[in-house]
Amino acid sequence: MKLTVVGGGSTYTPELVDGFARLRDTLPVTELVLTDPAEDRLELIGALSRRIFARQGHPGTITTTTDPDAAVDGADAVLLQLRVGGQAARQQDETWPLECGCVGQETTGAGGLAKALRTVPVVLDIADRVRRANPDAWIIDFTNPVGIVTRALLRAGHRALGLCNVAIGLQRKFAALLDTDPTAIHLDHVGLNHLTWETAVRLGGPAGEDVLPRLLSAHGDTIAADLRLPRPLLDRLGVIPSYYLRYFYAHDEVVREQRTKPSRAAEVADMERRLLALYADPALDGKPALLAQRGGAYYSEAAVDLAAALLRGAGSPHQVVNTLNNGTLPFLPDDAVIEVPAAVGPKGAAPLPVRSLDPLFAGLMADVTAYEDLALEAALHGSRNRVFRALLAHPLIGQYEYADRLTDELIAHNREHLAWA
């Protein structure tokens, strides 16, 4: 079984490689290919990855290449974890929107749109290469913004699913709070990527007992502190939102914070420098503790589980993925990409039924879905007006003066990545 990681020079990659090594019975990888245009980082990460495999006795081979065609040739699955423009582009995404009093974030708002515009054309080019090399290969997208990128892949007819670590992270947290095995926890997880709510937490499967009220009663303060949202808000909502909902529920508070402290991009860039120095040590043969602070917790477990289900019919029977709506949520278009639990196998993902959703959540989902549709049009076809329309539609912007100014800022900061600009 051959797997390819696009963006293999990422500091995330040792987390992924560690998962492949530990979970080799679930996903028996014989060849792992890491590809990245940054050759120096690629060789560094490749060497560490081989040491991780060797330490854990994994018999598979790890190769590196800067040639994407060679990398995807013969691959059974291709994992996308790329960042067009690197951390420098992320730093811009998180700063210039603040000039208009809008949240600066790499996956939502104006910064999220900038990332989508840079990313979608590159991902579609890679996907076309995959289809030419092996039309039966699966593409697993971890590249943000996952919802828009996955929608682009599916609209173009690729065999693709989107993956995010929010659900598996919450599953692990809830299991620890309830002192139970994570496999016993099933989440009624519903929404769009980075716009989700846990409407039930069930023990034993989709039909199991809902322990969400017990969880909120006994551990509401801990959960609220993790989300950085007030405990009374969780009690009034009666659900547990993703921490990304803080950008919507406490937008102005977040903007004030962002204006007075270093950006997350700056923190990550510093962390990456330290990680790369650690990775260069030839004695290091495991992922360092610092990597846990980088983000992407449990990404490797989620990726292995999904790949095993798609390629072998193994893994967990139900997994949270980003896939086509196709009537699952009747208030959204069929071609919207939603993030919900699904039965996953070699034929793809079949979303599980979702209970009727509170208009408080459904309304915001509908608004953001409309934005994502406009964002994808801007990413595929360009033009200043398409960018303006997407920004005007976004619930975190929504005023024409802001949308106008942010359009100019976005284009100015991303011109080298926008062929039409």
Side-chain angles (χ1 to χ4, degrees), residues 178-199:
L178 295 168
D179 194 23
T180 190
D181 191 284
T183 60
I185 300 290
H186 175 89
L187 300 178
D188 283 11
H189 176 103
V190 61
L192 312 176
N193 180 244
H194 290 184
L195 193 86
T196 52
W197 298 263
E198 312 308 320
T199 59

Side-chain angles (χ1 to χ4, degrees), residues 61-381:
T61 62
I62 296 178
T63 58
T64 60
T65 178
T66 57
D67 181 349
D69 289 313
V72 303
D73 185 34
D76 297 290
V78 176
L79 282 73
L80 306 179
Q81 57 170 33
L82 55 96
R83 182 183 295 279
V84 179
Q87 293 298 332
R90 178 178 181 172
Q91 170 70 14
Q92 293 181 354
D93 294 343
E94 294 182 355
T95 51
W96 54 263
L98 294 173
E99 297 171 10
C100 290
C102 295
V103 69
Q105 215 278 327
E106 65 159 344
T107 64
T108 192
L113 177 60
K115 192 171 196 297
L117 297 184
R118 294 193 303 268
T119 304
V120 166
V122 175
V123 165
L124 289 178
D125 175 69
I126 294 167
D128 286 341
R129 296 170 189 266
V130 174
R131 182 155 52 192
R132 289 193 297 268
N134 181 8
D136 293 327
W138 279 100
I139 296 174
I140 298 174
D141 178 58
F142 194 68
T143 296
N144 283 317
V146 168
I148 296 172
V149 172
T150 303
R151 195 171 186 181
L153 288 165
L154 293 173
R155 181 180 288 189
H158 297 289
R159 302 184 82 204
L161 290 173
L163 180 65
C164 181
N165 69 320
V166 166
I168 192 172
L170 289 173
Q171 180 198 46
R172 298 302 197 270
K173 285 182 181 178
F174 298 161
L177 292 172
L178 295 168
D179 194 23
T180 190
D181 191 284
T183 60
I185 300 290
H186 175 89
L187 300 178
D188 283 11
H189 176 103
V190 61
L192 312 176
N193 180 244
H194 290 184
L195 193 86
T196 52
W197 298 263
E198 312 308 320
T199 59
V201 178
R202 302 185 184 278
L203 290 179
E209 175 194 4
D210 179 12
V211 295
L212 176 58
R214 185 202 316 170
L215 195 60
L216 281 174
S217 176
H219 304 287
D221 289 342
T222 298
I223 295 169
D226 284 344
L227 300 174
R228 301 186 64 199
L229 288 170
R231 164 68 186 273
L233 175 62
L234 302 191
D235 293 333
R236 292 167 70 182
L237 294 176
V239 302
I240 298 176
S242 155
Y243 52 84
Y244 285 95
L245 264 298
R246 186 168 184 260
Y247 297 117
F248 293 81
Y249 293 158
H251 176 274
D252 292 354
E253 179 182 337
V254 171
V255 169
R256 287 193 295 271
E257 290 174 359
Q258 291 182 332
R259 283 173 162 171
T260 57
K261 68 176 188 179
S263 68
R264 174 61 178 165
E267 293 175 354
V268 170
D270 177 67
M271 200 177 303
E272 286 202 331
R273 286 190 289 271
R274 294 156 60 198
L275 282 170
L276 290 170
L278 292 172
Y279 294 169
D281 181 357
L284 183 68
D285 57 4
K287 60 179 184 179
L290 178 62
L291 185 54
Q293 301 175 34
R294 171 67 178 81
Y298 309 112
Y299 163 38
S300 60
E301 283 89 342
V304 167
D305 212 17
L306 182 53
L310 293 172
L311 299 178
R312 304 180 66 219
S316 304
H318 303 125
Q319 302 181 35
V320 174
V321 296
N322 285 262
T323 190
L324 289 175
N325 178 40
N326 279 341
T328 304
L329 299 174
F331 56 88
L332 295 182
D334 284 347
D335 67 346
V337 166
I338 60 175
E339 187 171 291
V340 292
V344 183
K347 294 184 178 180
L352 301 183
V354 175
R355 294 180 301 164
S356 179
L357 205 58
D358 188 317
L360 180 62
F361 316 131
L364 184 54
M365 285 181 63
D367 285 347
V368 176
T369 296
Y371 152 75
E372 290 190 345
D373 187 55
L374 293 168
L376 182 53
E377 289 301 308
L380 293 174
H381 306 296

Side-chain angles (χ1 to χ4, degrees), residues 1-3 14-33 48-63 285 304 312:
M1 181 184 297
K2 177 178 177 178
L3 265 64
E15 160 71 25
L16 188 60
V17 171
D18 177 75
F20 289 149
R22 288 186 294 102
L23 303 172
R24 56 184 174 271
D25 291 340
T26 303
L27 188 68
V29 178
T30 56
E31 181 182 2
L32 178 63
V33 181
L48 172 58
S49 299
R50 294 185 192 99
R51 296 195 295 270
I52 292 173
F53 262 31
R55 177 187 178 184
Q56 301 198 30
H58 195 295
T61 62
I62 296 178
T63 58
D285 57 4
V304 167
R312 304 180 66 219

